[in-house]
Amino acid sequence: MFTILGAGGAIGNELVKQLAARSETIRLVGRNAKLVPGATETIAADLSNLDDTLRAVSGSRIVFSGCWSEV
């Protein structure tokens, strides 16, 4: 399973298209994640919370991060 953190943006949506074309299982994760064509499941999670993040990536083979933050 591939997991996309911070899904829902332009990059995440394009990544779903590319992975779905390869028949990959795709999980989308975000505060208000919505299922898009090609994705298999969604998980609502606050990625600033460690427990939410660990739950969201559990069972994933590869995790993509679409999250950005400034320090």
Side-chain angles (χ1 to χ4, degrees), residues 31-55:
R31 284 192 184 114
N32 299 303
K34 293 180 178 46
L35 198 59
V36 298
T40 309
E41 66 178 283
T42 62
I43 293 181
D46 176 355
L47 298 176
S48 67
N49 178 291
L50 179 60
D51 290 334
D52 276 7
T53 303
L54 292 175
R55 178 178 53 85

